[in-house]
Amino acid sequence: MVNAIFILVIGLGAAFLLGFLRDKRKLAYVVTLAALVSMAWIAARWLLFFAVDGGARTEIFTAGTLPPFAINLHLGIAEAALMLLVILCGLFSAIYMQNTLMRLGRRMMSVLLVFVMSLCGIILTRDVFNLFVFFELAVIATAGLILLCEDKRTFAAGFKYLIISQIVSILLLVGIIFAYHASGSLNIDDMAAMSSGTLKGVGSLAFFLMLMAIMTEAKPFPANGWALDIYESAHPAFSALFSAAMAGAAAVYAIDKLLLIGASQWLPVVTAIGLLSFVAANLLALVQTNDRRTLGYSSVGQVGLILVVIGQRDILGEHYLYIVGGILLSHAVAKAGLYWLSGLLSQRKLTDWSALRGHPLLIFAFVSFVAMLTGLPPFPSFYAKWDLVMLLAAENRLWILALILIATLLEAGYLFRWFGYIIKREKETDKQILSLASHKLAVVLSTAVISWGLAYLWGELSAHGNLLYALPLLFALSFLLLDQLPARIKNSLSIAGMVAYFMVSYPTYDPLQLIFGAIFLLGSSVILLASYHVSGRRVGFYPSALLMFAGLTLLIVAKDAFHFFAAWEFLTIGSYFLILRGKHSEPHALSYVIFSLGGAFLILAGFALAAQGISPFPLESLAQVAKPIAPWVFLLLAIGFMTKTAVIGLHIWLPGAHAEAETDVSPMVSGILLKAGLFGLMVLLMNMGKQSLYGVELTYVMLWMGALSAFLGNLMAVFQEDAKRLLAYSSIGQMGYALFGLALMNQLGWLMALMFVINHYIYKSMLFLSIGGIAKRTGTRDMYKMGGLIALMPLSFIAVLIGIIAVSGVPPLSGFGGRWIFYNAILESEYRLPMMLIFISGPIAFLYLFRLIHTIFLGQLKDEHRQIKEAPFWILLPQMIYVVALMIFAVVPGLAMRHVDAYLSPFFEGQGLNWEGFTITSHYGYWSPVSIMIVVAVIFATLFAWLLFVNRKAQKVKQFNIVYSAERPFRPETTHFAWNFFAPYRKALGFLMQPYVTRFWETMMDLLHSIADLSRRFYTGNGQTYGIQLLAFVVIVYLFKMEF
Amino acid sequence: MVYVAMVTGFILILMGLYGALTNSNILRMIVAFSVANTGVNIVLVAVGYIDGRTAPILDAAVPVAEAAVRIIDPVPQALVLTAIVIGLGVTTLMLAYAYKLYEIKGTLDIAQFSELKW
Amino acid sequence: MQFEWIQIPYALLTLFIVLNFGLIMNAFVAKIGARVGRRHGIPIYQNYLDLIKNYGLRSSITHGMMFYLGPVFRLTGGVGLIMFVPTIYGSLMFSNFSFSGDLILALYFIFFGTLGMALGAGESGHPHAAIGISRGLSQVTMAELPLALAIFSIALQYQTLSVTEIVAAQQGGIQNWTLFTNPLAVAAAMLSFLGSVMRPPFDVVLAPQEIPIGPPTEYHSSYLALMQTNRVIYPIAKMVIFMNLFYGGADNWLVFFLKIFLIYMFAVFVGVVFPRFRVEQSIRWFLIWAVPIGVLAVVLV
Amino acid sequence: MIDLMLLVTIFFAIAMIGAALVAIRVKQISIAMLAAGLVSLLASVMFLFFAAPDVAMTEAAIGSGLTTFLFFFVLGRVRGDQRD
């Protein structure tokens, strides 16, 4: 094994060597790369030695004496990994900057080498003064590298950095000398070995100064204005180095080392600074429009998070390296990748990134990086955050946990907004924004590959097992490779895959899983039939859709909290990508993903609180959660799941997301995805039962929430002019019913909820498909612009007719079954008041359903629609399947429900239903779907046949013949009364429709943005101000430290 | 004596920082920083000084055997030497930047270089 | 209860009796109304004539499929409702097909006809028809709420959803009627009843036909005949439910006729006394007066 | 003896502080540079008292010599903006 000191030697040596290579730029460049490669090779060898062979950490002594008289270097697995990271980062940047380096010549190359070398030195050394030297070297190299960029503003940024580094070096030197005075050594390990008594008084202050000086290099908020200026203006490849290697690896590792001395008393300080940075930076990033500055803020935030982890290492124990490594590497790879990506673009606004559109590989890279930063599975940060959160909750450090999750949500907010810009914003066609040099592309794409490699690695190291081994997930990811195939082939593959998976796995499902599994796998296959209508390649659709289905599939079989949560995240991301595909869905997809992630974080917090450090935490163990925290766990999980079911108050994402999605996506996200929330609630309620908090029974609150959702969701649906929005609001109402059923906490209530699960899947998918088909043909979703389509689109009409009869719960179709069970269920329950809301929401549903069918299909045909045809075959086919399914389910609901009923009975003391014969009986009443169907069908058929017979000679009248006396009215479009359809209703109950909830969330958003916009003014751009801020920061931290 | 030097050093540091953060002329900021650096050097040397001992140079006056009790700890002085050299490097770099900045804008007023902010 | 073929002629017999009773009662009520207004009024057999005439007419125009289906839905709703509730207590012969389902079935089947009416009128192509429908649907949502509450209340009271069992529980004297055991529920239900019989003050829904064309106006000949039949049967079907739930049911046809007539007269009286409400006014009226009574009925039972 | 050293030290200290005051407050930038060099020079003498002859030499050469030279070098190239 090569001695690690050669890493430094090669770096420095090559830098000197370059000095002799005047006028030989190519050779100089080759030497630079060769030096970096050989440094990387040494680091990699050591890493393998430590990681695979389990080698022991080694000390490298220089100058033949022991410390403190000589410097010692220390090499363990962390050092090796970080050095490899730093060197690779440098190597990639060097490749990336090929043209720039060739232009600027050997001096710049040697500066780059010195920079990388000094970072390695910072990582290796165990001597505080040596640390100072390497830091100063890094500063000088930074100041040199900043000149790489042609942007003139960079000079100012560099100068600001020099001002700061002057202050830092003063603090550091003073700190070092007093630390030496107090301890008699410059060696970190020696100092650490001293008794804590030496750190009293002057020693403590000395340590504080050293800590703050090095902390400044990690760019904590608020002493970091200079760093942001550098991030914004420097060459992106340098920013990548500056963020990933210097702040994210070297500086934080130096802090980590220093903290060996400070022992545990300084950990809270580091945590607090980290948290402040993480929250504040992500908040301020919300209002940025410049891409690199945004990345800079994100970088500050991420480093803050790493500091938090470092500050929490007293509770992390053996997980420390795994957690901090996961977060650190995720940040480094993702941030460097994003900076390199930003170098491909010549414009600096976030919206200009729409130029990436049409380059699936780059978008894939971007998505991977963003997912990595936000801690989404399967990336290392996900595993790390999970473990971190679990341990924090176990130690009752809930504030830290909460702040981390909030800041992560903020971060997800602007990163996903950015992603929305890429996918949705107009491209500026006249300008060539994107330049795709092959070496730059290679760097970016190999970074993306590395990100997945790390994902695999962290999965392997995880105690929970590797998420990447899950078959559904692999299936979904494999479609990334198949994306070049025609859409129809991919569609067939997806359907075949999902059906086959269901066939293989259904024997292992219990009845509850079977119902959900059938909907998730078979149900989505039916919807996918509609996707055959799309020709072309449909890039990105299948990976997203299958990712969502993979999440759903994994959700129902998840045994422990970790896998449950991972599946939850998968389905959230997949559905987000799907929703984002809609033409105008950018803002809605954003609010969807924010609400979903917010909900997911609540779930995460809930699990963490429940687990109390137990890992893995089986879902059944929710039942054993002890009293004082159990209701809180319940509350967190319930709100998390209810976010997905769009309970009123958390519903504002749903209408837009469902309405703006593509024709075949709306049924997926409405008919299928919403059920995930119900499944979660079932798991929760089944295991935790009733809980009460401060004397309030939480299921009772849920009952009210469900009732309110049913009532208000339906009421809002009544006043929609947009057909798909109407259906979307209707989903809120329907989910309210289901939630209500679950919250009743009796067997019939649950049965009703499951009935709604099945029914809602069938009829909402059907309705969304027919409306989608109609919108496709008419080119509008506004119902008042349609009318009289019954003759032109009879099959769609039949689907809608059957659908609305079913939704409204009118016998004989299956919706009635749900209502019947509902009445039986509430008779068993002692809660009466919330029922009223449910009672009234039934008839209200009738209002919007009638409107749906009337304004689209009945009345007068609009002139512009005279030529339109029936919806495409492939959109109609699933609808007809649903019609048949509805009929079957209406007549023999027992096929599915009796098994569930039997399965549920052990969980509740109350009685289930009796399914003998064709009549279903309960304790209170009875219901025979078969005879209802027969009676109604016979009367109906008789009357219909008679009417047809007596009027067999009747002719269809022309459109305006009767009412308008065969005169064409002046404006035919006014002949169909359809706009503002329920005007009296709005007059009477419109006051309930005030958008309080929307306004509340909008105000929250505005408030956040205003705070961010106000507080960022604090960065005046003046280097002196930054200096003063740094000093003030140091003083304030010291005062706080003294205070506590 | 040590305390006098130390206090002087700290006063110089504070004065330097004050000057660097209040003077808006870039050159004057650099000048102030160099004053602060001098202050740091004084502090460093003062901390390492032990009353009544001689310089850490082994010559006829200080036999090797007695070195450990008769000379001053050489480490801080080594640090100061390094710090001075590094300080020169940084000061030079700052001056180079100052010159570049002047070339760009024709002014040395730091407040004029705040396009990058927020 | 199980199905036997003999029940089909029995059910048809019920239907026949109800139809005749309804025709006569409607005419009678119209007559009373006319006399009160010092007019002569229609002959008692007028409704028969109208119905027979309309059934005899043949139409040569149609507005399309849904135009057919409207009256079919409508009448299916009315006839089905009668079929799903037992008319005469204790009589197997006149309990129709009530084995198909309980009170909830009846409650929800009420909407079947409403839906059909609305659909058919929508297809007629006249914008005013749609206005009438939107008003009617708006009003019915609020009018049905107190009824639903009342039904919930008495289901709680009797701990059953079976109509027959509820009637059985009210036997043995007038004091056992729900009217006296649960007056709040009955009050709520009766107020709700006002809203659904299309008489003043809640008949603004039909107003567009005075202007002069509304939902039923486009219908003529056999279509109209079906709808007229329904207008006879449907209110009675509904009143049968009321009678069974609140007024002890009927164990023979005589009692049946009497009770139905009295219930109907209640709506007629109110209609004569009060002026017509606009729809939003009637919604508010139900919300302010009927719904709280219903809520009380549920809470206090 | 020691008291004398102390007095000298205090004298130097006051001198340095005075020079530093000039360096950061004086209007003329060239005087400020000279004053900073003076601070450095005084410091190098002080280092002698503290038994650090090599530090003293370095400080004198680099701190007061080279740095002051560099200051004037840059000042000469940016002449024109002499305002505070």
Side-chain angles (χ1 to χ4, degrees):
Chain A
M1 197 89 63
V2 186
N3 192 326
I5 200 165
F6 280 103
I7 292 178
L8 306 182
V9 172
I10 293 172
L12 212 50
F16 276 117
L17 179 63
L18 289 178
F20 298 107
L21 296 176
R22 182 195 289 260
D23 300 331
K24 288 176 190 149
R25 291 192 176 178
K26 274 202 178 129
L27 183 59
Y29 186 63
V30 170
V31 168
T32 310
L33 292 189
L36 286 169
V37 168
S38 50
M39 287 158 79
W41 183 77
I42 298 172
R45 281 300 307 273
W46 277 103
L47 182 59
L48 282 179
F49 170 69
F50 291 123
V52 179
D53 307 336
R57 42 178 41 213
T58 56
E59 301 284 338
I60 301 156
F61 300 106
T62 58
T65 45
L66 290 176
F69 297 106
I71 300 156
N72 68 322
L73 307 177
H74 187 94
L75 186 62
I77 185 164
E79 283 88 352
L82 287 175
M83 279 200 298
L84 185 60
L85 168 70
V86 166
I87 298 167
L88 280 182
C89 201
L91 178 64
F92 277 32
S93 277
I95 296 172
Y96 189 92
M97 294 191 285
Q98 186 188 4
N99 299 337
T100 319
L101 287 177
M102 293 294 267
R103 182 164 50 76
L104 293 171
R106 63 203 156 92
R107 291 201 189 88
M108 206 46 93
M109 297 177 204
S110 64
V111 172
L112 179 68
L113 282 175
V114 169
F115 185 69
V116 172
M117 185 278 300
S118 58
L119 295 187
C120 290
I122 293 171
I123 292 167
L124 279 175
T125 187
R126 298 300 265 194
D127 179 287
V128 279
F129 189 75
N130 200 220
L131 206 57
F132 164 77
V133 173
F134 279 125
F135 262 117
E136 290 297 307
L137 262 183
V139 167
I140 293 170
T142 302
L145 288 172
I146 283 174
L147 303 178
L148 280 168
C149 190
E150 288 112 74
D151 189 345
K152 294 278 183 265
R153 300 175 306 168
T154 323
F155 291 106
F159 190 72
K160 292 172 198 172
Y161 181 45
L162 285 173
I163 297 174
I164 295 296
S165 60
Q166 280 278 14
I167 300 174
V168 167
S169 71
I170 292 170
L171 294 178
L172 193 53
L173 274 176
V174 173
I176 286 171
I177 195 65
F178 281 103
Y180 177 71
H181 186 68
S183 67
S185 173
L186 287 171
N187 186 275
I188 291 175
D189 300 309
D190 287 351
M191 290 191 199
M194 305 268 164
S195 70
S196 57
T198 47
L199 275 176
K200 289 263 166 60
V202 176
S204 165
L205 184 60
F207 176 76
F208 171 75
L209 289 177
M210 289 198 291
L211 184 65
M212 290 313 290
I214 292 177
M215 188 83 88
T216 309
E217 295 292 347
K219 311 167 181 70
F221 178 86
N224 58 1
W226 49 277
L228 296 164
D229 296 347
I230 290 180
Y231 282 134
E232 180 176 347
S233 63
H235 192 287
F238 173 69
S239 293
L241 266 174
F242 198 53
S243 166
M246 178 144 178
V252 293
Y253 192 65
I255 293 169
D256 181 75
K257 276 193 281 199
L258 267 191
L259 282 172
L260 291 176
I261 308 172
S264 56
Q265 59 165 323
W266 290 96
L267 294 181
V269 176
V270 178
T271 307
I273 294 174
L275 268 183
L276 181 67
S277 300
F278 191 37
V279 175
N282 285 326
L283 179 65
L284 294 189
L286 282 181
V287 282
Q288 301 304 324
T289 52
N290 180 295
D291 56 350
R292 288 180 189 158
R293 199 167 178 90
T294 308
L295 286 177
Y297 275 105
S298 161
S299 180
V300 169
Q302 287 288 327
V303 174
L305 179 60
I306 300 171
L307 289 181
V308 174
V309 181
I310 291 176
Q312 292 302 304
R313 72 171 169 202
D314 50 337
I315 58 167
L316 301 184
E318 79 231 74
H319 306 289
Y320 177 61
L321 272 187
Y322 182 72
I323 294 174
V324 82
I327 292 174
L328 191 151
L329 289 177
S330 294
H331 162 246
V333 172
K335 200 51 58 65
L338 284 172
Y339 267 117
W340 286 323
L341 203 50
S342 87
L344 302 179
L345 293 137
S346 61
Q347 301 280 315
R348 290 278 65 88
K349 280 208 299 294
L350 288 175
T351 42
D352 291 324
W353 282 57
S354 56
L356 289 189
R357 201 152 75 243
H359 301 275
L361 279 177
L362 292 181
I363 291 179
F364 173 68
F366 184 87
V367 167
S368 304
F369 298 148
V370 165
M372 237 177 160
L373 283 180
T374 37
L376 295 175
F379 292 104
S381 44
F382 173 74
Y383 296 99
K385 262 185 198 160
W386 173 271
D387 286 353
L388 175 67
V389 165
M390 289 295 139
L391 291 167
L392 284 175
E395 293 291 325
N396 225 10
R397 299 191 173 172
L398 301 179
W399 277 107
I400 300 175
L401 194 161
L403 286 173
I404 287 179
L405 293 182
I406 289 169
T408 309
L409 192 59
L410 290 175
E411 182 167 37
Y414 64 82
L415 288 176
F416 280 105
R417 182 175 60 193
W418 189 358
F419 182 66
Y421 293 157
I422 295 182
I423 301 294
K424 285 289 147 207
R425 285 299 161 101
E426 282 302 309
K427 265 204 246 189
E428 288 191 50
T429 40
D430 51 332
K431 270 186 270 176
Q432 188 62 37
I433 294 177
L434 198 62
S435 61
L436 298 172
S438 56
H439 61 282
K440 294 186 177 182
L441 267 185
V443 166
V444 171
L445 295 179
S446 39
T447 314
V449 171
I450 289 175
S451 70
W452 282 90
L454 283 175
Y456 177 78
L457 182 65
W458 245 250
E460 285 298 289
L461 295 174
S462 166
H464 305 285
N466 198 337
L467 291 172
L468 283 174
Y469 286 148
L471 190 60
L473 186 62
L474 284 181
F475 185 63
L477 292 179
S478 67
F479 274 79
L480 285 171
L481 305 176
L482 303 176
D483 230 13
Q484 295 304 310
L485 294 178
R488 296 209 166 107
I489 294 178
K490 287 185 284 189
N491 206 37
S492 309
L493 284 175
S494 324
I495 293 176
M498 288 203 288
V499 172
Y501 190 79
F502 180 75
M503 287 304 158
V504 172
S505 49
Y506 89 89
T508 61
Y509 290 161
D510 63 35
L512 194 62
Q513 288 173 323
L514 189 59
I515 286 197
F516 282 97
I519 290 178
F520 290 163
L521 286 163
L522 298 183
S524 45
S525 302
V526 177
I527 296 178
L528 275 180
L529 287 177
S531 307
Y532 277 116
H533 83 278
V534 182
S535 50
R537 287 196 292 127
R538 223 176 178 198
V539 176
F541 174 80
Y542 288 94
S544 320
L546 291 171
L547 182 61
M548 175 174 95
F549 294 134
L552 290 165
T553 315
L554 294 173
L555 189 73
I556 53 172
V557 295
K559 291 268 180 291
D560 59 58
F562 176 81
H563 287 98
F564 189 91
F565 183 66
W568 190 265
E569 295 276 51
F570 282 132
L571 69 91
T572 301
I573 312 163
S575 52
Y576 163 70
F577 293 147
L578 268 188
I579 289 171
L580 188 59
R581 296 178 57 84
K583 206 173 265 169
H584 303 288
S585 62
E586 188 200 320
H588 309 294
L590 182 64
S591 72
Y592 168 69
V593 77
I594 290 178
F595 270 93
S596 292
L597 286 179
F601 289 156
L602 290 178
I603 294 170
L604 174 62
F607 279 141
L609 210 54
Q612 288 298 320
I614 299 167
S615 171
F617 181 70
L619 292 174
E620 289 80 39
S621 305
L622 282 173
Q624 275 98 52
V625 177
K627 193 62 193 161
I629 51 167
W632 293 103
V633 171
F634 184 94
L635 196 65
L636 287 169
L637 291 177
I639 297 177
F641 293 132
M642 287 195 293
T643 314
K644 202 56 135 202
T645 61
V647 75
I648 205 83
L650 301 170
H651 68 281
I652 64 160
W653 57 269
L654 186 141
H658 286 190
E660 297 295 342
E662 290 170 304
T663 303
D664 50 349
V665 171
S666 294
M668 288 179 196
V669 291
S670 176
I672 295 179
L673 182 64
L674 287 176
K675 309 303 178 297
L678 288 180
F679 182 77
L681 283 170
M682 283 190 179
V683 169
L684 172 68
L685 290 170
M686 218 185 269
N687 288 311
M688 295 199 78
K690 296 184 179 182
Q691 298 284 345
S692 53
L693 190 64
Y694 298 124
V696 180
E697 198 163 290
L698 292 173
T699 41
Y700 184 58
V701 178
M702 274 173 74
L703 210 59
W704 271 106
M705 303 287 286
L708 270 175
S709 304
F711 174 60
L712 291 174
N714 283 353
L715 196 56
M716 285 187 282
V718 169
F719 300 121
Q720 301 304 316
E721 304 293 347
D722 175 332
K724 282 178 95 173
R725 281 187 90 86
L726 182 150
L727 289 177
Y729 275 111
S730 147
S731 290
I732 297 177
Q734 296 283 321
M735 288 297 105
Y737 277 106
L739 177 63
F740 184 88
L742 291 180
L744 279 172
M745 290 306 284
N746 60 35
Q747 190 170 346
L748 290 179
W750 278 55
L751 214 52
M752 164 199 153
L754 279 169
M755 193 94 178
F756 263 98
V757 166
I758 299 173
N759 270 330
H760 183 258
Y761 158 67
I762 299 180
Y763 52 58
K764 200 46 71 65
S765 305
M766 181 163 87
L767 287 174
F768 261 124
L769 280 177
S770 10
I771 299 301
I774 291 160
K776 207 172 194 55
R777 291 297 192 218
T778 57
T780 176
R781 298 197 312 253
D782 288 334
M783 291 183 286
Y784 61 88
K785 292 180 182 158
M786 309 176 199
L789 292 178
I790 180 171
L792 301 175
M793 309 182 91
L795 290 174
S796 299
F797 171 75
I798 289 174
V800 172
L801 179 64
I802 299 289
I804 68 165
I805 296 178
V807 180
S808 58
V810 169
L813 291 186
S814 62
F816 172 68
R819 303 306 199 285
W820 184 80
I821 299 179
F822 163 73
Y823 267 85
N824 283 288
I826 58 174
L827 279 171
E828 266 187 15
S829 163
E830 61 258 44
Y831 307 120
R832 293 179 189 167
L833 280 178
M835 317 292 168
M836 322 287 166
L837 286 173
I838 296 278
F839 283 151
I840 188 172
S841 31
I844 293 178
F846 201 71
L847 294 185
Y848 67 74
L849 291 169
F850 175 72
R851 179 179 194 178
L852 187 69
I853 199 163
H854 169 85
T855 49
I856 293 179
F857 291 104
L858 306 180
Q860 307 285 10
L861 188 65
K862 295 279 192 283
D863 271 357
E864 60 270 30
H865 293 156
R866 285 184 202 289
Q867 302 299 325
I868 61 174
K869 292 180 293 190
E870 177 58 283
F873 168 77
W874 286 109
I875 295 186
L876 284 172
L877 178 68
Q879 295 176 41
M880 294 304 119
I881 295 175
Y882 287 132
V883 168
V884 174
L886 262 182
M887 292 295 187
I888 294 173
F889 191 55
V891 177
V892 278
L895 277 184
M897 302 310 291
R898 64 195 310 164
H899 302 292
V900 183
D901 193 24
Y903 175 75
L904 288 177
S905 48
F907 293 94
F908 301 100
E909 293 128 35
Q911 293 144 304
L913 300 175
N914 184 2
W915 300 87
E916 291 308 312
F918 287 122
T919 306
I920 299 158
T921 48
S922 75
H923 185 54
Y924 304 99
Y926 54 90
W927 162 47
S928 171
V930 182
S931 14
I932 296 174
M933 186 60 98
I934 292 172
V935 170
V936 174
V938 166
I939 301 173
F940 192 90
T942 314
L943 291 171
F944 189 39
W946 178 79
L947 199 59
L948 274 182
F949 175 74
V950 297
N951 293 324
R952 60 193 175 279
K953 286 180 187 159
Q955 302 172 355
K956 181 137 175 37
V957 290
K958 293 268 163 34
Q959 189 176 6
F960 299 113
N961 274 8
I962 299 293
V963 181
Y964 298 92
S965 314
E967 291 295 338
R968 194 180 166 79
F970 169 57
R971 289 178 65 200
E973 64 270 27
T974 59
T975 53
H976 183 41
F977 175 73
W979 192 77
N980 197 14
F981 197 69
F982 292 106
Y985 216 64
R986 197 189 276 275
K987 280 182 208 156
L989 293 177
F991 68 93
L992 290 169
M993 293 297 89
Q994 297 296 318
Y996 291 119
V997 177
T998 315
R999 239 180 264 162
F1000 169 76
W1001 289 112
E1002 274 171 4
T1003 313
M1004 290 291 284
M1005 276 299 127
D1006 286 351
L1007 202 65
L1008 274 181
H1009 278 83
S1010 309
I1011 293 174
D1013 199 39
L1014 273 180
S1015 24
R1016 69 175 177 156
R1017 317 233 153 218
F1018 159 93
Y1019 295 127
T1020 56
N1022 188 321
Q1024 285 182 319
T1025 321
Y1026 292 162
I1028 294 166
Q1029 283 164 357
L1030 171 58
L1031 287 178
F1033 175 64
V1034 172
V1035 171
I1036 288 170
V1037 171
Y1038 190 72
L1039 291 179
F1040 265 98
K1041 171 71 179 125
M1042 291 300 103
E1043 192 69 25
F1044 300 106
Chain B
M1 184 172 138
V2 171
Y3 286 105
V4 172
M6 221 183 270
V7 168
T8 314
F10 277 116
I11 289 175
L12 286 183
I13 291 174
L14 290 179
M15 285 174 71
L17 286 178
Y18 174 80
L21 298 180
T22 52
N23 278 316
S24 67
N25 184 306
I26 289 175
L27 278 181
R28 303 196 58 154
M29 289 174 69
I30 304 171
V31 169
F33 272 126
S34 83
V35 171
N37 279 335
T38 312
V40 171
N41 294 342
I42 294 174
V43 171
L44 254 60
V45 171
V47 168
Y49 180 69
I50 301 169
D51 222 358
R53 296 197 184 175
T54 77
I57 300 167
L58 298 179
D59 54 11
V62 184
V64 178
E66 297 172 26
V69 292
R70 293 206 34 204
I71 63 163
I72 288 172
D73 185 357
V75 173
Q77 296 194 3
L79 302 192
V80 181
L81 286 178
T82 321
I84 290 173
V85 176
I86 290 175
L88 173 74
V90 175
T91 306
T92 316
L93 206 53
M94 283 184 98
L95 285 169
Y97 262 86
Y99 178 62
K100 272 280 184 192
L101 289 176
Y102 182 76
E103 266 193 342
I104 293 168
K105 280 233 167 139
T107 174
L108 281 173
D109 184 0
I110 184 86
Q112 302 299 313
F113 296 95
S114 56
E115 298 99 335
L116 291 166
K117 56 184 170 187
W118 298 349
Chain C
M1 238 183 304
Q2 277 304 315
F3 174 74
E4 283 157 39
W5 288 103
I6 190 69
Q7 279 172 308
I8 293 176
Y10 285 163
L12 290 176
L13 180 61
T14 310
L15 198 59
F16 181 74
I17 296 172
V18 166
L19 179 64
N20 283 300
F21 170 64
L23 285 168
I24 294 168
M25 184 181 76
N26 277 0
F28 196 61
V29 168
K31 193 92 175 166
I32 293 173
R35 285 295 161 86
V36 169
R38 305 243 172 122
R39 283 178 280 112
H40 193 70
I42 52 168
I44 284 296
Y45 51 84
Q46 182 67 50
N47 284 342
Y48 283 94
L49 292 184
D50 290 349
L51 200 59
I52 291 165
K53 181 191 79 179
N54 279 330
Y55 271 115
L57 284 176
R58 295 289 172 269
S59 172
S60 53
I61 61 162
T62 168
H63 288 278
M65 180 57 73
M66 210 57 232
F67 193 67
Y68 275 115
L69 288 179
V72 174
F73 265 99
R74 190 81 169 131
L75 189 54
T76 307
V79 173
L81 196 58
I82 269 283
M83 295 289 99
F84 288 137
V85 288
T87 36
I88 302 296
Y89 170 69
S91 154
L92 266 181
M93 194 170 163
F94 296 111
S95 56
N96 309 325
F97 303 128
S98 59
F99 57 82
S100 304
D102 49 31
L103 195 48
I104 307 305
L105 175 63
L107 190 63
Y108 272 89
F109 203 65
I110 290 172
F111 285 106
F112 193 83
T114 314
L115 175 69
M117 182 66 233
L119 290 175
E123 179 68 347
S124 78
H126 198 285
H128 288 171
I131 292 175
I133 287 164
S134 85
R135 291 179 180 177
L137 290 177
S138 303
Q139 182 174 297
V140 87
T141 55
M142 209 44 89
E144 291 295 336
L145 181 59
L147 177 62
L149 292 172
I151 286 180
F152 182 42
S153 168
I154 62 166
L156 281 170
Q157 181 189 351
Y158 295 113
Q159 285 294 304
T160 180
L161 286 169
S162 157
V163 180
T164 317
E165 284 177 29
I166 292 175
V167 180
Q170 299 177 56
Q171 297 307 305
I174 199 168
Q175 74 281 0
N176 289 341
W177 289 7
T178 317
L179 177 62
F180 300 107
T181 55
N182 192 352
L184 284 174
V186 179
M190 289 314 285
L191 292 182
S192 155
F193 178 65
L194 291 177
S196 59
V197 285
M198 294 301 160
R199 298 195 70 87
F202 301 108
D203 62 342
V204 76
V205 177
L206 291 170
Q209 96 191 50
E210 297 165 0
I211 315 177
I213 27 181
T217 321
E218 282 288 306
Y219 287 106
H220 53 275
S221 68
S222 43
Y223 307 117
L224 185 57
L226 289 186
M227 299 187 65
Q228 279 177 324
T229 313
N230 181 63
R231 282 188 83 175
V232 171
I233 293 177
Y234 178 74
I236 294 182
K238 212 164 171 189
M239 283 184 281
V240 170
I241 299 173
F242 276 68
M243 178 187 76
N244 282 333
L245 294 186
F246 307 128
Y247 305 106
D251 44 17
N252 59 59
W253 283 107
L254 218 57
V255 177
F256 177 91
F257 296 147
L258 185 68
K259 283 185 178 172
I260 296 291
F261 179 70
L262 288 174
I263 296 172
Y264 195 59
M265 281 313 285
F266 166 71
V268 174
F269 272 122
V270 173
V272 185
V273 174
F274 289 99
R276 179 184 274 173
F277 280 144
R278 283 207 311 270
V279 171
E280 73 268 20
Q281 287 169 328
S282 59
I283 290 176
R284 288 200 197 107
W285 188 86
F286 281 116
L287 202 58
I288 293 169
W289 297 105
V291 174
I293 298 177
V295 172
L296 275 182
V298 172
V299 174
L300 295 181
V301 65
Chain D
M1 183 64 188
I2 286 168
D3 288 336
L4 182 66
M5 280 294 282
L6 188 63
L7 281 178
V8 175
T9 312
I10 290 172
F11 169 74
F12 269 92
I14 292 169
M16 270 193 284
I17 291 168
L21 204 60
V22 171
I24 64 169
R25 293 307 312 166
V26 78
K27 283 256 187 290
Q28 283 273 310
I29 196 161
S30 48
I31 296 178
M33 288 170 176
L34 282 176
L38 183 63
V39 173
S40 208
L41 198 62
L42 292 170
S44 68
V45 178
M46 203 153 158
F47 291 153
L48 280 177
F49 306 156
F50 286 87
D54 38 1
V55 179
M57 282 191 292
T58 320
E59 178 75 33
I62 292 180
S64 63
L66 190 51
T67 309
T68 312
F69 166 73
L70 281 173
F71 276 137
F72 277 97
F73 178 71
V74 173
L75 182 65
R77 302 191 71 169
V78 302
R79 69 180 89 247
D81 191 73
Q82 300 268 329
R83 290 168 286 109
D84 181 43

